[in-house]
Amino acid sequence: MTKVTRIYKSCDLNVGKYQALEEQARLLGKLRAEIWERFGSIQGVGSAHRKIRDTWVETRDFSPLAAKAWKETLRDTLDDIHLYEKSAKEKVRKAISRRKISEAEKKKLYTLLKSDKWVKNPYLCRMMRKFKKHGRTTVDNQIIVEFGVYKQFEGKDGNMWLKIPSLVRGKMISIPLNTKAKLQSALRLILKDGIMHVHASLNQRNFAACGSEILGVDKGYTEALADSNGDLHGKGFGKLMTEGTEKRHLRGIARNKLHQIAKKTKNKRKVKRICKFNLGRKKLDRYNHCQYEQLRTKAFEAAHRVVDTAKEVRAEDLSKPFSSNEKWKSYNRKMSSWSRSLLSEALHSVTEARGSRLRLVNAAYTSQMDSKTRRLEGRRVGDRFYHVNGDVSHADTNAAVNIKHRAEDTEISLYTPYKEVKAILLSRLTDIGGVSSHKSNRPSRTLVTRRKRTLTESELTKSLTT
């Protein structure tokens, strides 16, 4: 069963309880920093949680901290250190693979690196020092609570209340939560801006089975997703992003004016008032988080609607940065807020949870191709695509059809550079004699496609510029 993490928040947590939790987190933060200082270097390689814990129980006193609190902090911090070490080992493995040595020597180095014996090897020790710097931490707002240490009960409003040990022996702190779910695992409590965030792991629930079709999907701005069947999912996605972008823009203009006033004025009291009441981040961060959650909901709803039909979802790979074309400021502002990573996360998560398959394809020129002829012709204007035969369709659904067929294209792989993709598509268009004349009314993709392919692409570009 797959484990997932859920985050719950405290509701109306009073100042006294929050300060008590904050003091406990501060003491545990000092312990966390000490553990990183002592065991975060190569000298701490092979440090075992049980051995250190047993030694500290006999030799140290951590009062007023509860025993379970500092023991769980020790375990959690050592786990972080071991993960940091594993990350460095992956980089060393790549360095070993690039060395010009025999396979037997490489295998020996891999074996030593996997265990703690690499410390005695000069080369491995040197490489680990290169990639594993001495770790440090400044985290002092977290409390790890083991399952069985805390208690929970249902309040009058139906929500759960959490009771965790305090610094006073025998006294527990009751915290109201914003959920009715019963917690059944170890908890990570994070304190921030007067709110306690509870991170709990639970088994992922079972979802309905996926569909039986193969669909191509295009990630859009106006709508979240458009599929190759012509359906649009997540309507209002772009409107929500645009409203948030414009509101942040206007707020930024106003905040910049106040910032300049606070910067130039010599009245310290006025500066203090402006910084406290006008240039704070709490309300702004709360609004941004609220908009992010709304976008995330729409993205996941759209992904679920696609998977209801599809057993295989073919989507474009947008992990590479976009080309730096000069656009107007409002366009750049809106596109910079486009949550394409959120759409990718939704597709990946939903397809995995519901037993479907996500297949990424090369995204080059899928929006400029005619889905009816599968060639680089036709013309896109805004949300419309004008086909060669005179039909007009939605630009995103046209791109979704091209994405579906791109997965079956043997000449264009996921990692083919966009310039090579363009050359392949233009050669296909000229080979069949389908190049449009500049005198005809047939829409054409570029000026290059109006000429016969008698020259190379670079020579054509030079001749066009002249």
Side-chain angles (χ1 to χ4, degrees):
M1 185 67 71
T2 305
K3 290 282 187 180
V4 294
T5 301
R6 292 290 179 265
I7 303 176
Y8 310 110
K9 295 181 180 180
S10 60
C11 291
D12 300 326
L13 184 61
N14 64 49
V15 178
K17 292 181 179 180
Y18 185 80
Q19 289 177 350
L21 293 170
E22 203 170 30
E23 176 63 19
Q24 186 175 349
R26 186 185 66 81
L27 295 175
L28 292 173
K30 292 175 64 177
L31 177 62
R32 192 182 294 270
E34 179 188 345
I35 296 168
W36 268 100
E37 183 67 28
R38 294 183 60 178
F39 306 106
S41 64
I42 293 182
Q43 301 299 325
V45 173
S47 302
H49 161 246
R50 291 277 181 175
K51 187 175 179 180
I52 298 172
R53 188 196 67 176
D54 294 342
T55 304
W56 283 5
V57 166
E58 297 176 358
T59 60
R60 298 188 62 175
D61 181 19
F62 292 95
S63 59
L65 288 172
K68 289 288 186 180
W70 71 260
K71 289 177 182 178
E72 283 300 302
T73 300
L74 172 64
R75 179 196 58 77
D76 180 68
T77 308
L78 288 177
D79 287 345
D80 291 342
I81 293 173
H82 293 157
L83 286 175
Y84 180 44
E85 183 178 328
K86 285 184 178 180
S87 176
K89 284 183 178 181
E90 288 299 320
K91 297 177 182 178
V92 176
R93 285 180 63 87
K94 293 180 180 179
I96 294 173
S97 65
R98 292 192 295 264
R99 291 196 80 191
K100 296 181 180 180
I101 55 177
S102 64
E103 292 298 325
E105 292 178 349
K106 287 184 180 180
K107 186 175 181 180
K108 182 180 178 180
L109 291 175
Y110 289 145
T111 305
L112 292 174
L113 185 64
K114 190 175 182 181
S115 63
D116 296 333
K117 298 178 182 179
W118 59 265
V119 181
K120 299 179 181 179
N121 185 283
Y123 169 75
L124 293 178
C125 190
R126 186 171 67 253
M127 295 303 295
M128 285 296 290
R129 285 184 181 276
K130 177 181 178 181
F131 294 111
K132 183 188 176 183
K133 305 297 182 181
H134 195 306
R136 290 177 177 81
T137 183
T138 57
V139 174
D140 59 353
N141 65 337
Q142 296 187 14
I143 304 173
I144 309 298
V145 184
E146 187 182 6
F147 178 69
V149 173
Y150 60 87
K151 298 179 182 180
Q152 49 190 328
F153 62 93
E154 186 176 334
K156 293 181 180 180
D157 57 352
N159 288 344
M160 296 301 297
W161 283 62
L162 182 66
K163 295 179 70 174
I164 64 172
S166 66
L167 295 177
V168 181
R169 185 178 179 85
K171 184 178 180 181
M172 304 190 80
I173 303 176
S174 299
I175 304 163
L177 302 179
N178 65 344
T179 179
K180 297 181 180 179
K182 191 174 182 180
L183 307 178
Q184 298 179 349
S185 64
L187 307 178
R188 182 184 299 272
L189 312 181
I190 301 178
L191 306 173
K192 185 178 180 181
D193 297 332
I195 300 174
M196 187 186 76
H197 303 260
V198 181
H199 293 234
S201 62
L202 67 157
N203 294 327
Q204 189 178 52
R205 67 184 179 91
N206 295 324
F207 292 94
C210 62
S212 57
E213 298 183 20
I214 298 177
L215 287 182
V217 295
D218 180 60
K219 302 165 188 172
Y221 185 92
T222 308
E223 294 82 16
L225 298 172
D227 63 33
S228 52
N229 287 345
D231 297 324
L232 303 175
H233 310 285
K235 294 183 179 180
F237 189 76
K239 182 180 178 181
L240 184 61
M241 278 193 296
T242 301
E243 289 177 354
T245 302
E246 293 301 325
K247 191 169 184 177
R248 281 194 299 270
H249 175 57
L250 295 176
R251 278 182 173 176
I253 293 174
R255 286 170 65 92
N256 285 338
K257 290 181 179 178
L258 290 170
H259 178 71
Q260 292 300 321
I261 292 173
K263 187 177 179 181
K264 294 178 181 179
T265 185
K266 297 180 180 180
N267 190 338
K268 293 184 178 180
R269 289 186 178 181
K270 185 176 181 180
V271 173
K272 188 176 181 180
R273 287 198 302 270
I274 291 175
C275 294
K276 182 178 181 180
F277 297 107
N278 302 105
L279 296 179
R281 294 286 310 181
K282 291 183 181 180
K283 188 176 179 180
L284 186 62
D285 291 342
R286 187 164 61 247
Y287 172 79
N288 292 339
H289 177 74
C290 181
Q291 193 209 19
Y292 173 80
E293 291 298 328
Q294 290 176 340
L295 290 173
R296 193 172 188 274
T297 300
K298 281 192 174 291
F300 273 80
E301 286 177 352
H304 275 289
R305 289 187 59 186
V306 169
V307 177
D308 286 339
T309 309
K311 68 177 180 180
E312 180 178 324
V313 180
R314 297 173 179 177
E316 52 191 347
D317 180 20
L318 298 179
S319 58
K320 296 180 181 179
F322 291 160
S323 59
S324 57
N325 293 330
E326 292 293 332
K327 297 289 183 180
W328 57 93
K329 289 184 179 180
S330 62
Y331 177 88
N332 288 335
R333 186 165 58 247
K334 292 174 183 177
M335 289 307 297
S336 64
S337 68
W338 183 36
S339 304
R340 62 180 184 271
S341 60
L342 188 59
L343 295 173
S344 300
E345 178 196 352
L347 283 174
H348 177 78
S349 178
V350 173
T351 52
E352 184 179 6
R354 298 186 57 180
S356 182
R357 180 193 178 192
L358 177 63
R359 184 175 178 182
L360 298 179
V361 301
N362 197 314
Y365 297 99
T366 52
S367 299
Q368 286 78 35
M369 292 173 59
D370 190 332
S371 60
K372 297 184 182 297
T373 63
R374 302 186 191 180
R375 294 192 290 269
L376 193 59
E377 52 188 356
R379 183 172 68 250
R380 176 179 178 175
V381 181
D383 286 341
R384 294 184 178 184
F385 190 90
Y386 295 87
H387 296 270
V388 173
N389 60 2
D391 294 343
V392 182
S393 63
H394 197 283
D396 291 343
T397 57
N398 174 75
V401 176
N402 291 327
I403 290 168
K404 179 181 177 181
H405 296 312
R406 178 62 61 85
E408 301 164 358
D409 197 323
T410 57
E411 289 186 284
I412 303 175
S413 69
L414 178 62
Y415 305 105
T416 305
Y418 75 94
K419 291 184 179 180
E420 294 184 17
V421 174
K422 183 178 181 180
I424 292 171
L425 296 176
L426 289 176
S427 64
R428 290 176 183 175
L429 189 62
T430 55
D431 288 344
I432 62 171
V435 181
S436 60
S437 167
H438 66 281
K439 297 180 180 180
S440 67
N441 295 324
R442 185 181 182 185
S444 177
R445 168 63 184 85
T446 61
L447 292 173
V448 178
T449 56
R450 294 178 181 172
R451 294 171 175 250
K452 293 292 183 179
R453 192 176 175 80
T454 55
L455 302 174
T456 63
E457 187 181 0
S458 59
E459 292 171 337
L460 277 172
T461 305
K462 292 179 181 178
S463 61
L464 283 173
T465 55
T466 57

